[in-house]
Amino acid sequence: MRATAIHAPFDIRVEDVPDAAIRQPGDAVVRVVRACICGSDLWAYRGEAAREPGQRIGHEFLGVVEETGSEVSGLTAGDLVVAPFMWSDGVCEYCADGLTTSCVHGGFWGSVGSDGGQGEAVRVPFADATLVKLPAEALSDDRLLSALLALSDVMGTGHHAAIGAGVGPGTTVAVVGDGAVGLCGVLAAKRLGAERIIALGRHTARTDIARTFGATDVVAERGEAAVAAVRELTRGQGAHAVIEAVGTEQSMRTAVGITRDGGAIGYVGVPHGSGTGLDLGEMFNRNIALRGGVAPVRSYIPELLPDILSGAIDPSPVFDHAVDLEGVPGGYKAMDERTALKVIVKL
Amino acid sequence: MRATAIHAPFDIRVEDVPDAAIRQPGDAVVRVVRACICGSDLWAYRGEAAREPGQRIGHEFLGVVEETGSEVSGLTAGDLVVAPFMWSDGVCEYCADGLTTSCVHGGFWGSVGSDGGQGEAVRVPFADATLVKLPAEALSDDRLLSALLALSDVMGTGHHAAIGAGVGPGTTVAVVGDGAVGLCGVLAAKRLGAERIIALGRHTARTDIARTFGATDVVAERGEAAVAAVRELTRGQGAHAVIEAVGTEQSMRTAVGITRDGGAIGYVGVPHGSGTGLDLGEMFNRNIALRGGVAPVRSYIPELLPDILSGAIDPSPVFDHAVDLEGVPGGYKAMDERTALKVIVKL
């Protein structure tokens, strides 16, 4: 089959690889219908995250079950399914707590020895626990497929940030980061009843989506100026709930600066850089909490799926550029050069 | 009147100062009956926290109202009251949220121009909002007075840490720090229904109190060995809720290491040192939350007071050394040399 592999920084290739196949009785093989490129894939692309030469890549996909192992009971060939960005066994203590990302048998698509999402098919371990069935009708609805694909990562990750930040009815929320996750954070905050949502971003195309998703204010400034602007909008206090969807020291510093005393930062931007950007003394004096991390999106799908199916939320606008499988390398280039917000791969 | 002042590191004096007096119509003057020395006072004592020469010191006290300003309506001369370690106006937005430590008119006893708790009397701003009345009978009960004095800081601070750490029925809790706040954290965790409480500490006198307060296990190791020991006790997982009551980089590193994936650290140790001790990458991968800060103890008194009066909780054992007012300098020395856990001042 054809699949995407990364051979070196900036060397992404679509190439022939061994067909995805059942190895364990709990496995399923899923033929990919939609995949996408994640902001975090760019780290490998740029050489900021190490990869083995030839390692597969892509961790977001939905598709049709092609084959199931002997112990798979909840899925049959032909089912349309979405995969969260990690697999999980569904039975360990962490899975029981809903923290599927800490599953003792969990793993990432594209890790060494595993299929990646940006390919024709994927072997899915613990298929019953990992995959979530979607209505077959969605297959003929291109927009809906895009919206559902967001459940594999960005929508659930934005939701995780909103939960971590303590978004609830009546809260004022600020969102640091205008990538797909930040935008989904806006959508999640709106869904959770936020009264006011301040989106930080300077790319009009992105902040326009933020407004569509529910942002009431946009702040284009950065750093100290952004902190001042958010405080200006909040009578000097800052936001009750801050979604941090970047992961740099500067973004974390901004997040602390714009959080209201007693508020919380929901952080889902994978931390990079040598420092944390956290001023623990300021956080201490102002009782600012920090909650978040790698999002257990599998656990959120049952809650978010009905709202996507009903149209109550529609994250599909985060996909602003489409390619076919052979076009994936060009998709990376477009995202790296920021000419695309998030690239969808249609197979 | 006589009161304690700090003139330079290690130069604590009890000396004649102007009498505490009403300045604003909302003030009260409280004649101090019990005060104490806090671990955080030692920072000024050791020169690690800057103070103006001659600045007053002490932020924990209870006593009898001597005089009230014209606008004080809820208190009269003769009332026995306890003061939280900060005053607050009770009406600002933060006070309305219960975050009295962020009160827009709040302040600390012993700040420049204010009386400190380690003296004969204290001028209390916003007396109606700041002070909490205690039953007069307590005046004749030495043990109960000690227990009630803990409401001014350490008991409420331990409770804040337990809340921040997410302690609840059935949780496994670990407590980093065997000072008075850590011990009160044990007591607070027990009160909140923790199933298992692991106290980290190597001073038998202190860990014995921890056991009295509800600790089920004691870990004497430090650093990496402490992390290994707590993991050993928790089937490799760590504790759901970790109370951090030290504030050093090492204690924070230990706290992260012993927190179960998806758990939280409630931190109340005032951060000191140049770094945070936080490995944000590890916290991200394991979804470890950090919540806490300077404790709004005023807000917790109404909840904790009945349990102290009923005897359901008794924090008085944290006071293991008593002095009179003139003995305060010796009290600092005893705490600095760790021959005393926490010194009570009886006037």
Side-chain angles (χ1 to χ4, degrees), chain B residues 77 99 114 117 127 173 194 267 279 287-288 306:
Chain B
L99 195 67
S114 301
V173 181
Y267 76 117
D279 181 337
N287 269 277
I288 294 173

PDB file of all heavy atoms in Angstrom, chain B residues 77 99 114 117 127 173 194 267 279 287-288 306:
ATOM      1  N   ALA B  77     -16.476  45.359  71.613  1.00  0.00           N
ATOM      2  CA  ALA B  77     -15.368  45.163  72.543  1.00  0.00           C
ATOM      3  C   ALA B  77     -15.656  43.930  73.412  1.00  0.00           C
ATOM      4  O   ALA B  77     -16.782  43.721  73.867  1.00  0.00           O
ATOM      5  CB  ALA B  77     -15.196  46.404  73.415  1.00  0.00           C
ATOM      6  N   LEU B  99     -11.880  34.555  46.981  1.00  0.00           N
ATOM      7  CA  LEU B  99     -10.424  34.683  46.831  1.00  0.00           C
ATOM      8  C   LEU B  99      -9.959  35.944  47.588  1.00  0.00           C
ATOM      9  O   LEU B  99      -9.499  36.918  46.991  1.00  0.00           O
ATOM     10  CB  LEU B  99     -10.035  34.733  45.358  1.00  0.00           C
ATOM     11  CG  LEU B  99      -8.541  34.496  45.080  1.00  0.00           C
ATOM     12  CD1 LEU B  99      -8.151  33.061  45.426  1.00  0.00           C
ATOM     13  CD2 LEU B  99      -8.204  34.799  43.626  1.00  0.00           C
ATOM     14  N   SER B 114       1.949  48.704  59.008  1.00  0.00           N
ATOM     15  CA  SER B 114       0.897  47.918  59.657  1.00  0.00           C
ATOM     16  C   SER B 114       1.442  47.207  60.887  1.00  0.00           C
ATOM     17  O   SER B 114       2.629  46.902  60.967  1.00  0.00           O
ATOM     18  CB  SER B 114       0.359  46.856  58.697  1.00  0.00           C
ATOM     19  OG  SER B 114      -0.157  47.470  57.539  1.00  0.00           O
ATOM     20  N   GLY B 117       1.372  40.510  63.916  1.00  0.00           N
ATOM     21  CA  GLY B 117       0.655  39.677  64.879  1.00  0.00           C
ATOM     22  C   GLY B 117       1.438  39.420  66.155  1.00  0.00           C
ATOM     23  O   GLY B 117       0.844  39.160  67.203  1.00  0.00           O
ATOM     24  N   ALA B 127     -12.560  45.349  59.670  1.00  0.00           N
ATOM     25  CA  ALA B 127     -12.683  44.378  60.761  1.00  0.00           C
ATOM     26  C   ALA B 127     -13.879  43.447  60.597  1.00  0.00           C
ATOM     27  O   ALA B 127     -13.780  42.248  60.865  1.00  0.00           O
ATOM     28  CB  ALA B 127     -12.767  45.123  62.099  1.00  0.00           C
ATOM     29  N   VAL B 173      -3.369  10.188  48.848  1.00  0.00           N
ATOM     30  CA  VAL B 173      -2.756  11.513  48.956  1.00  0.00           C
ATOM     31  C   VAL B 173      -1.306  11.341  49.390  1.00  0.00           C
ATOM     32  O   VAL B 173      -0.998  10.468  50.196  1.00  0.00           O
ATOM     33  CB  VAL B 173      -3.517  12.361  49.995  1.00  0.00           C
ATOM     34  CG1 VAL B 173      -2.915  13.759  50.110  1.00  0.00           C
ATOM     35  CG2 VAL B 173      -4.992  12.436  49.655  1.00  0.00           C
ATOM     36  N   ALA B 194      -9.772  11.278  52.400  1.00  0.00           N
ATOM     37  CA  ALA B 194      -8.704  10.505  51.757  1.00  0.00           C
ATOM     38  C   ALA B 194      -8.645   9.103  52.345  1.00  0.00           C
ATOM     39  O   ALA B 194      -8.826   8.904  53.543  1.00  0.00           O
ATOM     40  CB  ALA B 194      -7.363  11.209  51.950  1.00  0.00           C
ATOM     41  N   TYR B 267      -0.274  23.174  45.618  1.00  0.00           N
ATOM     42  CA  TYR B 267       0.978  23.730  46.136  1.00  0.00           C
ATOM     43  C   TYR B 267       0.721  24.979  46.970  1.00  0.00           C
ATOM     44  O   TYR B 267       0.033  25.890  46.555  1.00  0.00           O
ATOM     45  CB  TYR B 267       1.994  23.971  45.019  1.00  0.00           C
ATOM     46  CG  TYR B 267       1.770  25.166  44.132  1.00  0.00           C
ATOM     47  CD1 TYR B 267       2.685  26.202  44.084  1.00  0.00           C
ATOM     48  CD2 TYR B 267       0.642  25.254  43.323  1.00  0.00           C
ATOM     49  CE1 TYR B 267       2.501  27.304  43.259  1.00  0.00           C
ATOM     50  CE2 TYR B 267       0.446  26.340  42.503  1.00  0.00           C
ATOM     51  CZ  TYR B 267       1.372  27.361  42.473  1.00  0.00           C
ATOM     52  OH  TYR B 267       1.156  28.444  41.656  1.00  0.00           O
ATOM     53  N   ASP B 279       8.947  19.928  35.525  1.00  0.00           N
ATOM     54  CA  ASP B 279       9.222  19.366  34.209  1.00  0.00           C
ATOM     55  C   ASP B 279       7.903  19.394  33.453  1.00  0.00           C
ATOM     56  O   ASP B 279       7.070  18.496  33.594  1.00  0.00           O
ATOM     57  CB  ASP B 279       9.752  17.943  34.354  1.00  0.00           C
ATOM     58  CG  ASP B 279      10.081  17.314  33.001  1.00  0.00           C
ATOM     59  OD1 ASP B 279       9.513  17.758  31.970  1.00  0.00           O
ATOM     60  OD2 ASP B 279      10.884  16.376  32.981  1.00  0.00           O
ATOM     61  N   ASN B 287      -0.593  14.495  32.183  1.00  0.00           N
ATOM     62  CA  ASN B 287      -1.777  15.270  32.581  1.00  0.00           C
ATOM     63  C   ASN B 287      -1.815  15.574  34.076  1.00  0.00           C
ATOM     64  O   ASN B 287      -2.808  15.345  34.769  1.00  0.00           O
ATOM     65  CB  ASN B 287      -3.051  14.545  32.165  1.00  0.00           C
ATOM     66  CG  ASN B 287      -3.524  14.947  30.777  1.00  0.00           C
ATOM     67  OD1 ASN B 287      -4.187  15.958  30.592  1.00  0.00           O
ATOM     68  ND2 ASN B 287      -3.135  14.153  29.778  1.00  0.00           N
ATOM     69  N   ILE B 288      -0.711  16.116  34.571  1.00  0.00           N
ATOM     70  CA  ILE B 288      -0.633  16.490  35.981  1.00  0.00           C
ATOM     71  C   ILE B 288      -0.964  17.971  36.130  1.00  0.00           C
ATOM     72  O   ILE B 288      -0.369  18.815  35.482  1.00  0.00           O
ATOM     73  CB  ILE B 288       0.774  16.197  36.536  1.00  0.00           C
ATOM     74  CG1 ILE B 288       1.001  14.684  36.525  1.00  0.00           C
ATOM     75  CG2 ILE B 288       0.945  16.767  37.935  1.00  0.00           C
ATOM     76  CD1 ILE B 288       2.400  14.275  36.888  1.00  0.00           C
ATOM     77  N   PRO B 306     -16.286  24.984  62.784  1.00  0.00           N
ATOM     78  CA  PRO B 306     -17.149  24.043  63.517  1.00  0.00           C
ATOM     79  C   PRO B 306     -16.450  22.711  63.820  1.00  0.00           C
ATOM     80  O   PRO B 306     -16.669  22.127  64.882  1.00  0.00           O
ATOM     81  CB  PRO B 306     -18.343  23.839  62.576  1.00  0.00           C
ATOM     82  CG  PRO B 306     -18.338  25.041  61.683  1.00  0.00           C
ATOM     83  CD  PRO B 306     -16.898  25.432  61.522  1.00  0.00           C
TER      84      PRO B 306
END
